[in-house]
Amino acid sequence: MKVRGVLRVPGDKSISHRALMFAALGKGESRVRGLLCSADVLSTGAVLRSLGAAIPELNAREFTVRGGGLRSLRESAADLDCGNSGTTARLMSGVLAAIPFDSRVTGDASLSKRPMQRVAKPLEAMGAQFEFANGDGLPMTVHGGLLKGVTWFSETASAQVKSAILLAGLVADVPVEVHEPAATRDHTERMLRARGVDVRTEGTVVTLLPAARLDAAAQDVPGDPSSAAFFVALAAIAASGALEIEHVCVNPSRTGALSVLAAMGALIGTEDTHDAGGEPVARLVVSPRLLRGITIEPEMVPSLIDELPVIACVAARAEGETRVTGAAELRVKESDRIAAVVSNLKAIGADAEELPDGFVVRGSDRPYRGRVQTRGDHRIAMAFGVLGALDGNAIEIDDRECVNVSYPGFWSDLERAIG
Ligand code: S3P
């Protein structure tokens, strides 16, 4: 299989969620360009609309949101349905905690199994109240109220937890300080700074000082590095050719997969790096090489957490062993991604093994054949879609539609890249 052409992946999912939330909470008109129009981001749009925000149709290349300010949201009569989206549920919890009304937050079967106490705990320490019907998962009711500031030592390296606390501090107009065990993606911090909020970062400590208002701001959403990673991986394991991926966000908190694939031997050029919308953006040019297995250390994990499924699939084609540890968080993503990756690699004939907090994959150049059970997880579908595109492999994906939560055009882009 040969790769060729120039590809532009859809807008970054993390930045898209935040662009809508900050446009709704900002005072005045915010222009948004290049938003990811996927099921997860539509969930954020719908939740904000239920709370009274003037969010327009989201399928335009560019649109304007008229924000009502930090305290403009109103109680919703209906449940706030976050669909499959953990970012919607967790970041909005921070906002809801700081406004004096009740909200019932729900999600689909997968999201309802994911841990929410990790955001409830710090927000309760600030003075909000949470009620859970089923222990740690959704549905949950948020009783928002007057909050006080907090210094929080987070047990998990999670940008969603950090962001929920920062948003609660922002809306409540109180100072917050978050200590993370390892630095996580910093889009919230960058975007709040661009909107006039005093947010400081020192190592793994992030502080937000009281801000009476959030300015409106234009947001250009760069391409999602987690979506680009599927095509970087495809080009790295192809037989020949080269693939260019334009306008990709190369924020250092998101580029761990590029470093790992390069260390495995892939030829990855990063060209024309420049700033767009407060984020570094570049064109990636990738060609195949012989790949070797690698050990991924725990401290790298936050910078490539969403890319581990596709790295595992690349590892199945590399020479030798790839080992990942310190990635227990994978067990509480859209599926248990350690179990999903390993059982599906085995199902297609690859050599893989689960670890409590990661996995081991031993690569081979034999053909891989079989049926993949995605467990409704978009990144499992796309990772095995990449492996299935190689000559000699025949991999059937049980649910191709689940890619719609983050990358609705994935299958047609995949066909074009190998066209
Ligand atoms: C995200 C943070 C990460 C990531 C998710 C998006 C965000 O989750 O896996 O896809 O937008 O903040 P955690 O914060 O739970 O690690």
Side-chain angles (χ1 to χ4, degrees):
M1 182 270 291
K2 181 177 179 180
V3 282
R4 64 157 172 237
V6 183
L7 195 76
R8 203 173 173 123
V9 296
D12 185 73
K13 185 150 79 75
S14 294
I15 297 174
S16 294
H17 286 295
R18 290 158 172 82
L20 290 182
M21 292 176 194
F22 298 163
L25 295 171
K27 187 84 189 146
E29 288 197 352
S30 291
R31 192 177 52 73
V32 181
R33 191 165 54 167
L35 187 94
L36 166 67
C37 189
S38 75
D40 273 6
V41 178
L42 292 178
S43 293
T44 288
V47 163
L48 289 168
R49 265 186 223 117
S50 298
L51 294 163
I55 303 290
E57 285 290 309
L58 299 178
N59 51 9
R61 171 92 198 121
E62 190 169 332
F63 56 85
T64 299
V65 178
R66 209 155 286 122
L70 282 176
R71 274 162 285 277
S72 60
L73 300 183
R74 297 287 166 259
E75 184 159 2
S76 166
D79 288 351
L80 302 176
D81 181 1
C82 301
N84 193 244
S85 175
T87 307
T88 310
R90 300 210 178 99
L91 267 62
M92 285 308 298
S93 294
V95 174
L96 297 171
I99 17 190
F101 56 69
D102 296 347
S103 310
R104 187 162 182 273
V105 182
T106 62
D108 71 6
S110 151
L111 183 58
S112 300
K113 283 195 246 153
R114 299 179 63 190
M116 293 295 149
Q117 291 284 1
R118 54 177 59 189
V119 287
K121 289 263 159 57
L123 298 170
E124 281 173 342
M126 295 177 75
Q129 283 178 0
F130 282 71
E131 252 178 79
F132 286 88
N134 311 313
D136 197 2
L138 299 180
M140 72 184 177
T141 302
V142 185
H143 305 282
L146 273 185
L147 302 186
K148 54 183 191 297
V150 76
T151 297
W152 189 256
F153 292 82
S154 186
E155 282 171 16
T156 7
S158 162
Q160 293 177 355
V161 172
K162 171 178 66 180
S163 300
I165 301 168
L166 294 176
L167 289 182
L170 173 72
V171 177
D173 201 15
V174 296
V176 291
E177 188 173 297
V178 186
H179 294 243
E180 296 197 280
T184 60
R185 63 191 68 190
D186 62 353
H187 306 300
T188 299
E189 297 89 307
R190 286 173 186 253
M191 292 172 75
L192 289 180
R193 276 182 208 120
R195 288 159 179 76
V197 182
D198 191 348
V199 182
R200 298 173 189 180
T201 306
E202 265 189 64
T204 53
V205 184
V206 181
T207 310
L208 175 140
L209 298 174
R213 52 176 281 159
L214 184 68
D215 295 337
Q219 184 71 48
D220 182 1
V221 184
D224 193 324
S226 300
S227 296
F230 295 107
F231 291 96
V232 175
L234 178 80
I237 56 178
S240 61
L243 197 58
E244 282 186 31
I245 313 162
E246 288 185 326
H247 202 63
V248 180
C249 176
V250 288
N251 177 322
S253 65
R254 299 287 301 281
T255 51
L258 293 182
S259 312
V260 160
L261 292 170
M264 291 175 84
L267 195 64
I268 305 176
T270 306
E271 298 177 354
D272 186 28
T273 308
H274 61 279
D275 181 276
E279 297 277 351
V281 167
R283 176 173 57 242
L284 305 178
V285 186
V286 191
S287 332
R289 285 288 181 281
L290 209 60
L291 303 181
R292 300 171 298 277
I294 192 174
T295 297
I296 299 176
E297 304 293 348
E299 47 283 12
M300 281 219 73
V301 166
S303 69
L304 46 70
I305 186 75
D306 292 337
E307 290 70 72
L308 284 169
V310 76
I311 290 174
C313 286
V314 169
R317 262 287 171 266
E319 202 180 279
E321 182 178 288
T322 293
R323 177 176 288 265
V324 183
T325 54
E329 272 296 297
L330 285 181
R331 295 212 183 264
V332 292
K333 293 294 179 186
E334 286 83 331
S335 68
D336 174 343
R337 286 186 176 156
I338 294 179
V341 157
V342 170
S343 64
N344 283 311
L345 282 173
K346 285 181 170 163
I348 59 168
D351 183 353
E353 191 187 313
E354 279 193 37
L355 302 175
D357 62 344
F359 52 76
V360 180
V361 179
R362 292 172 204 93
S364 155
D365 53 13
R366 66 175 172 270
Y368 291 128
R369 297 193 172 160
R371 183 174 163 85
V372 163
Q373 310 279 353
T374 57
R375 306 178 183 210
D377 186 332
H378 56 134
R379 298 204 197 276
I380 299 298
M382 292 187 276
F384 283 88
V386 165
L387 198 50
L390 297 194
D391 295 330
N393 290 354
I395 298 175
E396 197 192 331
I397 312 280
D398 71 342
D399 174 13
R400 287 162 55 97
E401 298 301 304
C402 66
V403 304
N404 290 342
V405 306
S406 68
Y407 196 159
F410 174 75
W411 298 110
S412 53
D413 281 354
L414 181 62
E415 260 176 37
R416 274 204 299 135
I418 60 181

